[in-house]
Amino acid sequence: MDAQKLHSIRHECATLKDGSPHPSRPQIPVVVGQETWSRIHALFRELLASANSNIDLDIDPLAAVWSDALTDLCMFVRNAAAMDQSNQAAANSADIVSDIISTIRVTLRCEMTYPEAKKCGAAAGQALSNMATNNKPLQRQLMESEIRDCKSPIESIYLYLLASTNSKTNMAGLMLILNTIKDDDSLSKLLCTTETGQMLAGRVGEMFGESNDDEADEKTMLYVILEEIIQRGHLTLLLTTDPALEAYGLLNALAVYCNENPGPLVRSQIFDMSLLTAIARILTKCHDLLQNVWKSADDTELGDVGMDDIMAAHRSLASTVSILGTITTDIEQQLAVRVLDSGIVQQVIALLGLLSQNLPRIEKASTASTLPETESDLIKRLFMFKCSLIQIIGNISHNNTAAQNLIRELHGLALVLDHMRIDDNHPFIKEYAVVALRSLLENNPTSQAYVSDMEAKGVVQDPKLASAGIQASLDSSGHISVKREASTNTFNVKENSGT
C-alpha cells in the first residue's frame, strides 16, 4: 500500500469514527446499518493485509499512520457496541470480532516501538470487551477458541491484553474476563481447568500480588475476578496440582477474602479438603526452601536459592499465615477436623521449629548485632512469623482435645513453652505463647501433666550479675538458688518448666 492510499484510508477511518454513535452526538442514530459494518470490515482487512506484506512495523514511518487508522476503526466498534446491543450482533455477522482480535495481536507486538500502536491496542481491547458485554454467545465463543482450544497459551488474546504495557489495555482484558465468568459457573470452571486458563488466572493473581495500590481501579478489578473464582470454589483447581510459591497473588486474594467474609458458613464452604491440603503443601515448600537456605555452613550466603524464590516464599507464607490465622479463629468443629487431617498442623509446627532454630532470640536491645547486614540477615527479617504461627497453634487447639494431643505429640507444646521469653525480634511473643499455652492445656490432664513433669536442666548465668558477684545454681530437687559470693543470703525458687 502506497502512502497516498494509506492516508486516504486513514481519512475515511477518521470520518467513520467521528460519526460513530456516542452520548455526545445525540443526532447520530445509535443503530449502525449492515452496509457500514461491511465497509468497516473491508477497511480492517485492507489495513491488516498491508501489515503482513507492505508495511514493516519496525522501521516504516507509515506505521504510525496505519496504527491511527486501525485505532479509529476500533473506536467506532467500541462506541457502537456500547450504545446499542443490536450493533454487537450486526458487527459479529460482518466478522468484526476476528478483525479486532487480529488487530490486537498485530499492534501489541509493536507497542514498544510506536505510541500509536499502544493506543490502538487499548482501543481494540476496549472494542472486544464492549462487543462481549452481556453477549453470552460471544463470551463462550471466545473462551472456547482462546482458552479451551488454544494450542499455544501465550497466543491467547486474553494473555495478549494482560501482557500489554498499557494499563488501559490491561483493564480492557480484565473487564472482558470478568464479564465472561461472572455468574457463569461453567466458564469460570473452564478458566481454572485448562492449561491456558490456568496460565491466565495465574497472571491475574500475579498482577494482584504485585500491585501495591489498594485504591487503584485495576487492583479492584483483579480482586473482583479472583473473588468470583474463590466464591465458586474453583481456587482449589488452580492450587491442587502442584501449588507454586509464585502463586502468592492467589493466596493474597484468598487472605483478603477471608478477612472480608469471616463467617463460619463461608469458611466451611470455601475451605474444602483439597484447598487445605494445597495450603499444607505451600507451607511444606516454604519450609524446604528455608531449610535449604539455612543449611549452608556460610551464614552470609544464600547457597543455591535465588532471591526471587525467597521473596516468593515470603509473600506466600505471609498470605498463608494470614489465611490460617483468620479461619482458625473461633473455628467450627467440621473445619477443625479438616485442618487436622490436611497436615497443616504438622507443617506449622515444623516451620515454627525451623524459625526458632535460625532466628536468634534477642533479649536485650544492646545484644543486637552492629555488623553490616548480610543477605542472610535480610532473610531472617523477612520471615518473622513466629508469633503468627504460635497464634495458629493456640487457635486450633482451643476447646479441641484432638488438636491438643496432636500438637503435644509433635512436640509443639514444648516448642510453645520455649517461646515464653522476651524476644525483641518478636515483640509480645511471650504473650502469644501464654495465650496459646492456655488453649493447649485447658481441660487436658495429659498435657498438663506433661508440663508439670518437666524438670529444670540447668541455669544460664547472666554475665552482668556474675560480675556483681551474684551466682545462680540448680539443686537436685529442681530448686534454683541465687546468692552473692561470700554471702549467706540464699533465695529459693521452685521452677517447673525450667530455663
Side-chain angles (χ1 to χ4, degrees), residues 14 31 78 124 142 249 279 283 375 429 458 487 492 496:
V31 178
R78 179 196 68 186
L142 289 173
I279 289 173
L283 292 173
E375 287 183 322
I429 194 168
S487 172
N492 293 324
N496 287 325

Side-chain angles (χ1 to χ4, degrees), residues 78 82 88 122 124-136 139 142-143 157-158 161-162 166-183 187 191 200 204 207 217-226 228:
R78 179 196 68 186
Q88 296 175 343
Q126 292 164 353
L128 184 61
S129 179
N130 284 0
M131 284 284 291
T133 299
N134 297 321
N135 188 342
K136 189 53 66 177
Q139 292 172 3
L142 289 173
M143 284 291 284
I157 202 66
Y158 295 97
L161 294 170
L162 297 194
N166 189 343
S167 61
K168 291 182 178 180
T169 308
N170 299 154
M171 280 294 288
L174 294 173
M175 183 63 75
L176 177 61
I177 296 169
L178 178 61
N179 286 335
T180 299
I181 68 171
K182 190 169 180 62
D183 301 325
L187 293 183
L191 175 69
L200 177 61
V204 172
M207 292 171 68
D217 291 340
E218 181 177 295
K219 186 157 189 179
T220 301
M221 183 71 71
L222 289 163
Y223 176 70
V224 172
I225 292 172
L226 295 173
E228 185 74 20

Side-chain angles (χ1 to χ4, degrees), residues 28-104:
I28 295 176
V30 296
V31 178
V32 178
Q34 198 63 49
E35 183 178 341
T36 301
W37 286 120
S38 297
R39 179 55 186 159
I40 289 173
H41 172 62
L43 290 170
F44 265 122
R45 292 293 94 191
E46 194 164 2
L47 288 166
L48 291 169
S50 67
N52 295 326
S53 57
N54 304 94
I55 296 178
D56 187 336
L57 295 178
D58 292 325
I59 60 174
D60 200 321
L62 291 177
V65 180
W66 170 86
S67 296
D68 285 339
L70 281 172
T71 300
D72 288 338
L73 292 179
C74 291
M75 292 178 71
F76 182 98
V77 177
R78 179 196 68 186
N79 294 346
M83 288 297 291
D84 194 284
Q85 196 165 353
S86 65
N87 290 329
Q88 296 175 343
N92 199 29
S93 66
D95 207 21
I96 298 298
V97 172
S98 296
D99 298 332
I100 294 293
I101 290 174
S102 297
T103 300
I104 291 171

